[in-house]
Structures are given as structure tokens and as C-alpha cells.
Amino acid sequence: MVIHFHQPVDNFGFVIDKITDKCYEPFLDVISGFPDIKFNLHYSGSLLEWFKRYRPSIMDKIKALAVKGQIELIGGGFYEPILSALPPGDAKGQIDMLSDFIKKEFGFKVSGCWLAERVWQQHLAEVFSDAGIKYLMLDEIHLKFSGLKRKDVFGYYVTEENSKTVSVFGADKTLRYSIPFMPVEKTISYLRQIKEDFAARVVSYGDDGEKFGAWPDTHMIVYEKKWLDNFLKALRKSSSWLQTTTVSEYMDNNPPSGNIYLPDASYQEMNEWSLSLNALKRLRVLQKQLKEKKSVKLMEEFLRGGVWKNFFIKYPESNHMHKRTLLASHRIRKLKKQVSGSDIALLKRARKELYKAHCNCAYWHGIFGGIYLYHLRAALYRHLIGAEKILDGIEHKKRQWLNIEISDIDCDGHDEISVSTRENKLIINPAIGGSITEWDLKEKQVNILNILSRKEEGYHKDFESRYRKNIYYDNYRRKLFIDRFLEDNVSLGELLSGAYKDRGEFAGAHYDIVRTRQPGGAITLRGKSIVYNRSMQIDKTFITGKQDNCLEVKYCIRNLSSSRVKLNFAPEMNFSLSDDKIRERLCSLNRLLLRDEIEGFKLAITFSRKAKDVFRYPVNTVSQSQEEPDYNYQASCVVPVFDMIIDSNRSKHITIKLTVQPL
């Protein structure tokens, strides 16, 4: 039995405290009364660090169980990253970090690994071997994906990459679904059935420990109704034919069942969640057809779905975070060859901050939380920016500096522009409307463009009508300075719901890089497209100073057509404040002030000419939770509208200045 416990990096302390009381501590207390029942336990490094700081008595209880040999502690990536999404050096570094922590705190040498979300790619075999890992727990479906039949999954197999080997077990899916929900006697009967039907020598169980008290109603089931206590008593009573053992003990006394090579995969639900909505609908149709023919179980290993990295396509915001961590990792590897003296310790600190930004929870979404939770994404950016601040200090010894780099940051085949100073970091994306997709305030370690667009999810159709009526979708990625041209008399409700017409084609147009001026930090982009069926050109120049949190955007809108044109220019701006519920339409305005009370800053927006209207509304997503649907604030959208008449071959100019100051 392999039980996995984890909390995301920087999750709310009161949440972890509550789960510790309802789940983590009572679980240890119950199993300690059954010293003959063996477990493998995995705790992520982020959770162990929290225990050590806030609940050291939990650390003592874990150590006591390890010392008497009732539990075998297993390792993994320290901050629970998706190891296959990391450079191999970072993956090994994460594994080594947790192995070293367990050795130091508990005196236990790690042999096994918990693979976060069971996301497997074959190259990981070499990573695990190099990190001293002998085995890991996957799902039985991984083994079936390789062609094994049901009768063959009860054992362990050896796989390799470049002659570096690691052994893999497949956790039984039925046990994963039924524990602790199926009555104890039925669980024991199921185990007996496996023994009789397949002459199985071993059956593996691996799943999340939060099912033992933290999930809805499970504290009542597991502890108040004593499911766990009764289950352990039943195991003890069945000891004549059913024994528990640690994974290492089993491997020491039993040979592998054979060799195996595994396709890229996770557990089946994850494989399906990673698909696009359209692809998932098609998969569901096929599954239904096979179910009607009673062939779905026979064919399940051939209906794999997608791969975990599809989440980078499904959620571009996830891809952006991931590629930003890759850039930071590259900087660390490069500097490692150059640093000396006190910078060596600084580089180690930067690496630890980067590793915290690897925590997987905010990079994907299945049915609950994940990337939809702003505070989880904010934690990743906090540590990513923290790592980059340290690297900046190593690379730039001067107090004030400015650096402009042009490269394909998000690996989409188009160049982005990175503008970095001691105080700010901007990422400008010419290929998607010349907009800004990231603005880091380095002192506060916050990205004020940490935004998730409103996306259709497959489960939305199952919500009650009172929830569905408040669900809106974006057909674009929300960012800063999306150049729109609106019709007269557009309403706040139309903007909020997306039921308006953009009479221009600049929002998603490709802008060319006209010039970048390194000394002054000015970057000019140029886009050409259509507005009201007339040819138009927009030049926009971004200017950021070396010394303050200020961004200035100078627009030059030129009419390239042969006739006069009347326009409502509306540059859309989205900002991720901690929370903002304001909906308003203001008239004849040249200044607006936004406040973030939690992060402690204010954002002043000033216009060089009065806007006819300024619309402001919150952007909320609706996602599924374990109880009621979650309404999650994602951004505050500000849309100023400037009416203008431009003669043929003439231009109009507008400057927008954004200034961030502490409260």
C-alpha cells in the first residue's frame, strides 16, 4: 500500500492545518496501533516543510513509524513537479532534494519514488536510475497501455533508458476507486477474488492520502465510522492468506515479472482531461458506442486519450508559466559555470525558488481547482520572480540596468520581447496583437497579468441553469493592450459577456517589430489590418524606465484608406488584482485608479485625452468543485473608448500611462 500526501506550495496555512487535524494526524494515529500492517508513505517536500515549521509533532510520528519498520518512506520530486516536464537535471535535482531531506530528518535512505500525477515518459527511467531510485508506483493502466492483459499486471516490471533501469508497479484501479468507500468486507472479498482468479502473488494499491479524511464526508467514514480501523483489523484477521509488505521488502524476495516499455501516459482520467473539449467529446462518443457493445473494458487500453503536456495547448497560460521556468533553469545552468564566492550560495537559493515554481497543481485542471485557482498561480510566479531577482543580482552588479531580449519564449514559432529592469519585467507578444502577456513587479514578486481566460469545460453542461446563466467564454487570451474598435453605444453587459462586435481585426493580428532602443527602453510595433472594411495602421511604442514601476504606451493610429473614417478605439486592458468586484461605466475620464489591498499597491491609469467612456468589470471563471461550482476572480478588465475621426492618410495619437505605487 502506497499512500501519497501533498499540499501545493504556499497553500493557505489554515487549509493545511485543518487537513492535518482531519486527515494527516489521525491517519498516523490509527495505523500506529497496527504495527504488523506495513505501508509505503510519500509526503511531498512542501508538506514536510510545513510540518517541520508548524506541526513538528507530525514529523516525530512519521519518524517513529519509520524507525520501527512499519512504514517505508518514498521520495519523488521535492515540490511535486511533473518530472517529465522538467529538464533532466532539474528532475534529478528535485528527486535528490527530497531524498536528502528524508535522510536528514528521518534517517531513512530512499529507494522508491512517487511520480506526481503518474505522468510517465520513458526518458524518466534514466533520470530515476541516476537519482538512485529503484522503483515507482504507476497505475495498472500504464501496464495495459503496453499490451499486458489484466492477469499480467499483478507484479512488477523492469524498464530502461540507455541501459539505466527502474522497476514499475501498477496500482489496482478498482482499489483506487473503492477505498475507503466500499465496505471493508467487500474490499477483502475483492482481494481474495484477485488471488483466486489470477493466482496473483501481489496486488498494489497507490492513491492520495487526502481520501482518508480530507475529501468531503471521508473524515466521518474513515474515523467516526472507523473504516480505517476496521480495514486494518480485517487485514490482520486475513493474515493466513493476505499479508502486507513494503515495496522494497517485496522486491527483495520476489523477482520481476519481466521487461516493459511504457508509452507516454498518466492515469486514465488525466489522459482524458488533457484533451481539448472537442476531442474529449469525440472520445466520449466512442466510449459510449463500445459500452453499448459491451466492449469498453476489452478496448480500454487502446482509448488512451491525450498526454499531460496537452495542457500547455489547452491552457496557454500554463504553457507561458512552464516556458518561463525553462528560461530560468537555463540561466541557472549557464551561471553555474561562471559563479564563484558568495554567488554560489545565491545560485543555490535561486534554484530552490525555481523548484518551488515547478509545483504541478497550477499547471493543469481536471475537475477541481488547479490552474483556475489564482493563489496557486500567484505562488508559482512569486517563486519564479524570486529566482529571477536573485539571478539578476548575480548578473547585474549595477543598481540600475535595462535588458531587452527577442526570442521565442513560449515556443510557438513567433518571437516575443522580454524587457527587464531591476524593478520590472515585461513580456510583449507581437504575434498576438502586439499585447503584453506578463508584467512582473519584482519588489513584490507579483505578476499583475496573472490571468486565466474564461474557457468552456465539458462539465459546464451538467451545471444547474442558475449557474450556467452566469458562464461566459473568451475566444482569446486576456492580456494587456488588446487593440479593439467598438460600435457606438456598446453596453457594459455586452463587454462583460463577450456579446459585442469588434469592428477591427487588430486584436489577434501580427504586429511587426519596427525598432527596439536598448538605452531608452523604447519598443515600437506596427500592425496593419482592417477597421470597418478600411485599411488602417497602428504603431504602438512601449516605454519603460529603469527606475520606477511605470509603463507608457504611445499609439499612432493611421488611416491608410482613401476616405475619412469615424472610429471608437478601445484598447482593452486586463489586470489581475487580488479581488475586484467593481462593475462600472464612467464618462469623460482621463484618469482611473485601481487598488490591490492584499498585494499592497495601486495602479494609476492616465490618458493623454479624455476617454468618451471607460468600462470596468471583473472577469470570473466558473469551475467545478467537490461541492458547489466555484466562481473564481481572474482579472479586472478596463476598456477606455476614444472616439475619433481620421482623414485619409492622417493619424491620431493617444498615450496611456500606467504607474504602480505602494499603498
Side-chain angles (χ1 to χ4, degrees):
M1 291 184 288
V2 180
I3 314 296
H4 156 68
F5 302 95
H6 167 60
Q7 286 296 313
V9 168
D10 293 356
N11 198 12
F12 299 124
F14 73 88
V15 172
I16 307 177
D17 209 43
K18 181 179 179 181
I19 294 175
T20 300
D21 290 337
K22 295 185 66 175
C23 174
Y24 301 147
E25 187 162 31
F27 179 86
L28 293 171
D29 290 342
V30 171
I31 69 170
S32 66
F34 296 83
D36 51 322
I37 307 296
K38 302 290 185 73
F39 289 87
N40 281 69
L41 299 185
H42 169 262
Y43 294 89
S44 65
S46 51
L47 184 54
L48 289 173
E49 284 185 329
W50 191 90
F51 285 157
K52 184 176 179 180
R53 182 172 181 180
Y54 298 106
R55 299 287 288 269
S57 62
I58 304 296
M59 299 287 284
D60 295 337
K61 292 182 178 185
I62 295 171
K63 186 173 183 178
L65 291 171
V67 168
K68 68 180 184 181
Q70 183 182 356
I71 66 170
E72 176 185 0
L73 292 169
I74 64 175
F78 194 95
Y79 292 109
E80 200 69 2
I82 300 299
L83 291 173
S84 61
L86 305 185
D90 287 342
K92 181 177 181 299
Q94 287 264 11
I95 297 168
D96 290 344
M97 188 176 176
L98 185 53
S99 296
D100 292 346
F101 184 94
I102 291 173
K103 179 68 175 177
K104 179 181 178 181
E105 298 295 330
F106 305 112
F108 193 92
K109 187 178 186 302
V110 166
S111 297
C113 177
W114 179 265
L115 183 62
E117 302 302 334
R118 277 89 84 200
V119 179
W120 171 264
Q121 285 186 253
Q122 189 63 30
H123 77 274
L124 289 176
E126 184 170 11
V127 174
F128 289 130
S129 180
D130 288 344
I133 298 298
K134 296 181 180 179
Y135 70 85
L136 63 145
M137 182 67 65
L138 299 175
D139 262 32
E140 67 171 55
I141 195 67
H142 287 80
L143 308 186
K144 290 181 177 179
F145 286 153
S146 295
L148 297 186
K149 295 181 179 180
R150 168 74 167 157
K151 67 181 181 65
D152 299 319
V153 302
F154 303 107
Y156 71 96
Y157 291 80
V158 178
T159 191
E160 65 80 31
E161 182 79 358
N162 295 323
S163 297
K164 304 287 185 69
T165 63
V166 69
S167 296
V168 296
F169 289 77
D172 187 89
K173 182 178 180 179
T174 299
L175 289 177
R176 182 162 64 83
Y177 271 84
S178 62
I179 291 176
F181 308 106
M182 189 163 66
V184 167
E185 59 273 16
K186 288 189 177 181
T187 305
I188 298 298
S189 296
Y190 172 73
L191 291 169
R192 183 184 289 278
Q193 181 184 348
I194 289 176
K195 179 178 175 63
E196 293 174 352
D197 290 352
F198 302 108
R201 293 179 56 83
V202 65
V203 59
S204 303
Y205 169 68
D207 206 356
D208 296 342
E210 286 74 23
K211 294 172 73 172
F212 294 90
W215 286 22
D217 300 325
T218 56
H219 181 82
M220 177 188 65
I221 294 170
V222 174
Y223 303 112
E224 294 177 20
K225 293 187 176 181
K226 297 185 178 298
W227 188 97
L228 181 57
D229 188 80
N230 293 332
F231 178 60
L232 299 181
K233 287 177 180 177
L235 289 176
R236 180 180 282 172
K237 187 177 180 180
S238 305
S239 60
S240 62
W241 63 273
L242 179 62
Q243 294 86 39
T244 59
T245 183
T246 66
V247 177
S248 288
E249 287 174 350
Y250 181 82
M251 291 178 65
D252 287 343
N253 295 288
N254 295 274
S257 299
N259 295 90
I260 198 168
Y261 290 92
L262 303 157
D264 295 357
S266 177
Y267 50 88
Q268 184 59 22
E269 299 94 327
M270 180 72 82
N271 297 334
E272 295 176 2
W273 293 333
S274 70
L275 290 170
S276 68
L277 182 60
N278 184 270
L280 182 58
K281 288 178 180 177
R282 300 201 307 272
L283 177 62
R284 291 285 184 253
V285 170
L286 180 57
Q287 289 172 332
K288 182 179 179 181
Q289 292 173 347
L290 291 172
K291 186 176 181 179
E292 290 170 352
K293 296 179 180 179
K294 299 182 180 180
S295 302
V296 67
K297 285 193 174 295
L298 180 65
M299 305 293 289
E300 67 176 351
E301 59 264 43
F302 304 111
L303 301 176
R304 189 170 73 200
V307 296
W308 188 86
K309 287 183 179 178
N310 280 350
F311 285 114
F312 297 151
I313 309 300
K314 192 172 184 178
Y315 303 105
E317 300 87 349
S318 173
N319 182 61
H320 183 89
M321 292 188 293
H322 175 254
K323 300 308 182 288
R324 291 280 286 107
T325 64
L326 294 183
L327 288 176
S329 177
H330 175 74
R331 287 178 71 186
I332 290 172
R333 290 196 303 273
K334 182 179 178 181
L335 285 172
K336 188 176 180 180
K337 301 174 183 179
Q338 303 171 5
V339 297
S340 60
S342 60
D343 285 346
I344 296 176
L346 288 175
L347 199 62
K348 289 181 179 179
R349 279 180 50 205
R351 187 182 69 167
K352 185 172 183 178
E353 286 292 288
L354 172 64
Y355 283 4
K356 291 181 180 180
H358 288 155
C359 183
N360 80 84
C361 306
Y363 286 96
W364 62 280
H365 175 72
I367 51 176
F368 307 135
I371 194 172
Y372 276 90
L373 300 181
Y374 168 83
H375 75 279
L376 295 185
R377 301 195 311 272
L380 300 192
Y381 275 114
R382 184 180 308 118
H383 293 293
L384 172 61
I385 297 167
E388 293 193 325
K389 278 178 62 179
I390 297 170
L391 299 178
D392 289 344
I394 296 173
E395 292 178 333
H396 303 283
K397 301 302 182 183
K398 294 181 180 180
R399 178 170 176 78
Q400 301 300 336
W401 51 273
L402 182 144
N403 187 47
I404 299 175
E405 295 181 359
I406 300 176
S407 64
D408 183 6
I409 294 172
D410 56 8
C411 300
D412 67 347
H414 302 283
D415 282 341
E416 288 77 46
I417 306 169
S418 171
V419 183
S420 189
T421 69
R422 184 174 177 272
E423 287 79 16
N424 295 282
K425 187 181 188 76
L426 299 172
I427 294 182
I428 304 168
N429 200 319
I432 49 175
S435 54
I436 299 177
T437 51
E438 183 175 345
W439 182 2
D440 298 338
L441 308 180
K442 293 184 180 179
E443 181 180 353
K444 293 188 172 294
Q445 293 182 204
V446 60
N447 169 22
I448 64 172
L449 305 184
N450 175 18
I451 302 162
L452 183 71
S453 297
R454 302 175 296 185
K455 297 175 173 62
E456 183 179 3
E457 299 288 354
Y459 51 71
H460 282 163
K461 69 182 185 306
D462 301 321
F463 286 172
E464 296 177 18
S465 59
R466 62 190 173 113
Y467 296 115
R468 291 201 306 270
K469 68 181 182 180
N470 293 318
I471 299 176
Y472 305 112
Y473 302 123
D474 298 319
N475 60 4
Y476 64 100
R477 181 176 172 188
R478 287 189 176 268
K479 42 203 180 295
L480 182 58
F481 296 120
I482 305 171
D483 302 331
R484 301 195 182 282
F485 294 86
L486 302 181
E487 294 181 316
D488 292 333
N489 301 317
V490 67
S491 70
L492 178 61
E494 289 172 328
L495 287 172
L496 188 152
S497 65
Y500 63 90
K501 290 184 178 180
D502 186 345
R503 301 311 298 261
E505 300 176 9
F506 280 89
H510 187 285
Y511 279 59
D512 295 321
I513 303 172
V514 177
R515 57 183 171 272
T516 62
R517 293 202 295 272
Q518 186 90 9
I523 296 167
T524 300
L525 306 180
R526 175 172 293 163
K528 293 183 180 181
S529 193
I530 301 298
V531 180
Y532 284 108
N533 298 317
R534 292 177 174 84
S535 181
M536 304 288 292
Q537 174 180 293
I538 296 179
D539 285 4
K540 54 182 176 182
T541 299
F542 299 99
I543 302 172
T544 180
K546 292 183 180 180
Q547 301 184 23
D548 53 15
N549 291 319
C550 178
L551 172 64
E552 193 171 67
V553 181
K554 295 180 177 293
Y555 277 99
C556 175
I557 304 167
R558 187 168 183 84
N559 179 6
L560 301 180
S561 73
S562 58
S563 59
R564 173 184 289 187
V565 62
K566 182 179 181 297
L567 306 170
N568 291 307
F569 176 55
E572 179 184 323
M573 297 176 277
N574 293 280
F575 305 97
S576 55
L577 309 179
S578 296
D579 196 8
D580 181 12
K581 298 179 175 63
I582 296 176
R583 300 184 183 188
E584 60 185 2
R585 176 179 184 172
L586 305 171
C587 300
S588 189
L589 199 72
N590 60 9
R591 189 175 190 273
L592 182 67
L593 187 67
L594 308 181
R595 298 169 65 90
D596 191 322
E597 300 290 346
I598 295 177
E599 294 293 351
F601 68 85
K602 58 185 177 181
L603 172 63
I605 308 173
T606 57
F607 312 123
S608 60
R609 54 169 287 188
K610 284 187 176 182
K612 178 181 68 172
D613 294 297
V614 177
F615 297 93
R616 176 183 177 182
Y617 62 88
V619 178
N620 295 306
T621 54
V622 184
S623 61
Q624 189 165 273
S625 73
Q626 292 174 324
E627 296 176 355
E628 296 292 310
D630 277 340
Y631 286 87
N632 294 300
Y633 167 84
Q634 299 295 345
S636 295
C637 184
V638 177
V639 184
V641 180
F642 303 96
D643 55 341
M644 57 183 68
I645 298 173
I646 310 177
D647 290 330
S648 173
N649 293 313
R650 291 291 185 263
S651 302
K652 293 287 186 180
H653 299 268
I654 295 172
T655 298
I656 301 175
K657 187 175 183 179
L658 309 178
T659 305
V660 178
Q661 294 178 327
L663 288 177

